[in-house]
Amino acid sequence: MTQTLTLNHETVAILNQRSTPFAAVLAVKFAVCVTKMASRRRTRKALAQLEPWQLADVGLTPRQAHDEFIRVFWKA
């Protein structure tokens, strides 16, 4: 199982303190962004490999799964 890197309000407050270098804040925000995009891509790829009966279990039609799969990974 993989963990998704997220920024909550407390983490952002810590990163925005004057003692944290701007480059470090930027690096963390970039890492979060890249991690989210990779997670979306991986999830959509897995969705495309599900059988119709599995899609029905999660409440999706094959068409809806296909539409989600073809979305670009940077769009939520």
Side-chain angles (χ1 to χ4, degrees):
M1 181 170 221
T2 61
Q3 288 184 332
T4 303
L5 183 61
T6 59
L7 286 178
N8 59 26
H9 295 294
E10 183 178 322
T11 306
V12 171
I14 292 169
L15 288 174
N16 286 333
Q17 290 177 352
R18 293 182 194 269
S19 62
T20 306
F22 177 74
V25 174
L26 191 61
V28 170
K29 289 181 179 183
F30 178 75
V32 168
C33 183
V34 169
T35 302
K36 285 181 181 181
M37 288 190 283
S39 178
R40 285 185 198 126
R41 182 179 180 275
R42 188 173 44 254
T43 303
R44 289 174 179 161
K45 190 175 181 181
L47 184 65
Q49 296 173 354
L50 294 178
E51 297 292 328
W53 66 270
Q54 292 170 314
L55 292 170
D57 281 350
V58 295
L60 293 174
T61 65
R63 179 65 187 170
Q64 288 171 319
H66 175 72
D67 289 346
E68 185 65 27
F69 173 68
I70 62 173
R71 288 178 70 184
V72 289
F73 61 88
W74 58 83
K75 290 191 176 179

